[in-house]
Amino acid sequence: MELFKAIVIKEQEDEVTYGVEKVGKDQLSDGDVLIKVGYSSINYKDMLAVQKKGGVIRDYPMIPGIDLSGTILHTTDSRFQEGQEVVVTGFAMGMSHTGGFAEYARVPADWVVPLPANLSLKDAMVFGTAGFTAALSIMALEDNGMDPKNDPEILVTGSTGGVGSVALQILAKSGYKNITALVRKEHQSEVAKSLGASTVIFLDDLGELKKPLNKQKFDYVVDTVGGDVASVLIPQISYGGSMSMCGNAAGVQLTATVLPFILRGVNLLGIDSVNVPINKREAIWAKMANEWNISQTTLVDEISLEEVPETIESIKNGEHLGRTIVKC
C-alpha cells in the first residue's frame, strides 16, 4: 500500500497540533482487519481529542476518529471476508488505537460489525457514534417503562447536537408526541422543531437548583450534556421516571440530593457507547437500519478530511448543528 491521507495529532513542545498528512500502513495500529474507510463522522469526543489535556489521547502521534464505515481489504479472521462492508465504533479507536479519520484503518476483528442490509456506508455514519449513543439512550428509557402508548412527557437536552438531533428523530418516528427540546440559542428552535420536537424551551426556562424536589414536569429525559443542566432537571422528573445520561459538555459535576430517588423513585441510567458487547451492537445497528432508520431525514453535512478542523472548531464553540460526516 502506498502512502495515504490521514489526520495526525502530534504533541510538540507542550503543544498539540493536528492536520492532514501522508502516512503509511506501518503507522496504523495492529489488528486482524484492514479496512478501506468510506466515511467517518465528527463527534464531541473527536473535538476533545485534538485539545491539549482533552482527556482522550495520551500517546502521540495518533490518528483520531472514533468511528468509521468501510470495506474490508484484508482479514485473518474467518468471521469476515474481503469486500464485506462493515461499521466500527467505540472501543479504543481514535484514542489509543488509530482511528477513522484516514483513508485506511486496521482494527481487531472483535470490534467489527457487519453493515446491516438497509444501510449504506454513508447512512451508517449519519448515525455514527452519536446515533448509536442516542439509540442506546432511548432503548434504556424504554426498558424502564417509556412507551408511546402512555403519551409521556419527554425532554431532550443538547437537542440540536449530534446525539440530541438523532434522539429527537428516533422518538418522533417511534410515535412519541410530547417531545420537548432544550436549546441554548434562538436559531436552534426551528431546527429542533424540524427534527421532531413538539415544544422548545431554553436554559432560562429550567429555573435554578433551589429545592431538592420541584414541580414534576418530565417523565423521561434524554440528557446529553450533564453538569448543571442535569442537576436542575433531576428534581423535575416525575414519579417513577428516568433520565439517561451520556455526555458532559455542561460539566462532569452533578449536584443532587437523594430525595428524587427515594421519594419519587427516579432512575439515572448511565449510557456508555464505548465498550458495548458486540452482540448488543449488532442488535442496535439492526434496529437503526429498520424501525429507527432516520438516516434520510437527518440534518447532515458532508465534508472532506481537509475540512475537519473547521467543524471541530464549530463544535468547540457550541455552534455545530446536527451531524457532520467525513468522506474519506
Side-chain angles (χ1 to χ4, degrees):
M1 183 187 300
E2 298 180 356
L3 296 179
F4 56 90
K5 290 194 299 183
I7 289 182
V8 180
I9 307 176
K10 296 179 178 178
E11 186 178 44
Q12 298 174 321
E13 297 181 357
D14 209 33
E15 181 182 2
V16 172
T17 61
Y18 71 102
V20 176
E21 297 183 8
K22 288 294 186 70
V23 301
K25 187 171 67 172
D26 60 338
Q27 291 170 263
L28 298 178
S29 298
D30 293 337
D32 315 292
V33 183
L34 178 65
I35 299 170
K36 180 174 175 57
V37 181
Y39 292 88
S40 183
S41 76
I42 301 184
N43 301 277
Y44 187 80
K45 186 180 286 187
D46 297 312
M47 182 277 291
L48 293 177
V50 301
Q51 310 302 319
K52 182 173 175 58
K53 297 182 180 179
V56 175
I57 295 175
R58 293 174 177 80
D59 297 316
Y60 301 90
M62 177 56 61
I63 297 173
I66 63 172
D67 56 25
L68 65 84
S69 62
T71 305
I72 294 178
L73 290 182
H74 176 72
T75 178
T76 60
D77 191 289
S78 60
R79 290 172 292 177
F80 302 100
Q81 58 189 4
E82 294 180 7
Q84 185 175 6
E85 294 183 328
V86 295
V87 181
V88 186
T89 65
F91 296 106
M93 194 167 66
M95 300 172 64
S96 59
H97 189 103
T98 52
F101 290 171
E103 294 180 296
Y104 297 91
R106 186 165 50 204
V107 299
D110 287 341
W111 296 1
V112 179
V113 175
L115 184 73
N118 292 339
L119 288 182
S120 67
L121 293 177
K122 181 177 180 178
D123 293 339
M125 285 300 102
V126 171
F127 281 108
T129 293
F132 184 70
T133 305
L136 282 168
S137 301
I138 293 170
M139 187 174 292
L141 291 171
E142 289 191 334
D143 286 344
N144 279 268
M146 188 173 75
D147 190 321
K149 295 177 183 176
N150 300 327
D151 291 326
E153 292 288 342
I154 303 171
L155 176 69
V156 179
T157 70
S159 60
T160 60
V163 178
S165 64
V166 176
L168 282 179
Q169 292 176 90
I170 291 177
L171 289 167
K173 185 165 186 176
S174 298
Y176 294 99
K177 303 298 183 185
N178 306 315
I179 308 170
T180 299
L182 178 64
V183 301
R184 295 174 56 198
K185 301 175 182 178
E186 187 66 41
H187 73 273
Q188 296 170 329
S189 179
E190 288 305 313
V191 174
K193 289 180 179 179
S194 73
L195 294 171
S198 53
T199 306
V200 174
I201 62 174
F202 295 86
L203 283 174
D204 290 344
D205 298 324
L206 292 182
E208 299 178 4
L209 184 62
K210 293 182 178 179
K211 301 177 181 179
L213 292 174
N214 288 330
K215 183 179 178 181
Q216 302 177 56
K217 295 181 180 178
F218 306 106
D219 300 307
Y220 299 96
V221 179
V222 179
D223 177 55
T224 71
V225 299
D228 290 342
V229 174
S231 299
V232 170
L233 285 170
I234 290 171
Q236 300 181 37
I237 298 175
S238 301
Y239 186 91
S242 300
M243 173 191 282
S244 63
M245 303 187 72
C246 67
N248 62 3
V252 298
Q253 299 297 323
L254 195 62
T255 302
T257 72
V258 299
L259 295 186
F261 310 107
I262 65 175
L263 296 182
R264 289 183 179 167
V266 169
N267 305 290
L268 282 190
L269 310 173
I271 305 299
D272 166 57
S273 64
V274 176
N275 295 303
V276 178
I278 200 71
N279 59 338
K280 187 174 181 179
R281 288 173 183 268
E282 292 176 356
I284 293 169
W285 277 104
K287 201 169 182 70
M288 291 192 292
N290 293 286
E291 61 263 42
W292 284 358
N293 192 342
I294 46 80
S295 59
Q296 300 304 311
T297 59
T298 298
L299 177 65
V300 59
D301 291 319
E302 181 178 318
I303 64 173
S304 66
L305 283 170
E306 288 80 5
E307 296 172 289
V308 166
E310 182 179 346
T311 300
I312 290 285
E313 198 64 21
S314 71
I315 294 175
K316 183 179 179 180
N317 295 331
E319 300 168 347
H320 186 250
L321 298 175
R323 300 283 293 131
T324 297
I325 61 174
V326 184
K327 188 173 183 179
C328 298

